[in-house]
Amino acid sequence: MILRIQIQLTIDGEMNKSDVLEIAEHKLGDMTDEEIEQAIEVKIRTWVDQMVQVEWEVIE
C-alpha cells in the first residue's frame, strides 16, 4: 500500500502548485504515529525546497 499526501502551495492567497506525495507504507514499518508525522513533514519540506526559490538583494 502507499500513503498518499495531498499538498498545495499557496502564495498570497493564490494556489500556485498542487501535488500528491507518496510514501510506501512498508518504509514506515513499525513507526509510531509521531514518527510517521515527522516522516511526512520531511517529505513535504523536501518538496517545498525543490519547488520554491527566493531571490533577494539589498537595494538602497
Side-chain angles (χ1 to χ4, degrees), residues 3 5 21 23 27-46:
L3 176 64
I5 303 114
L21 306 180
I23 301 175
K27 290 185 177 181
L28 301 176
D30 294 327
M31 289 183 176
T32 65
D33 287 346
E34 184 176 305
E35 291 169 329
I36 291 171
E37 186 174 320
Q38 290 172 351
I40 291 169
E41 289 174 357
V42 167
K43 187 88 169 168
I44 291 170
R45 278 194 301 268
T46 301

Side-chain angles (χ1 to χ4, degrees), residues 9-20:
L9 176 64
T10 302
I11 299 173
D12 198 22
E14 183 178 329
M15 188 180 72
N16 293 55
K17 181 81 173 164
S18 177
D19 207 349
V20 175

Side-chain angles (χ1 to χ4, degrees), residues 37-56:
E37 186 174 320
Q38 290 172 351
I40 291 169
E41 289 174 357
V42 167
K43 187 88 169 168
I44 291 170
R45 278 194 301 268
T46 301
W47 181 87
V48 170
D49 286 346
Q50 293 171 351
M51 294 295 131
V52 176
Q53 178 179 350
V54 177
E55 296 180 10
W56 63 272

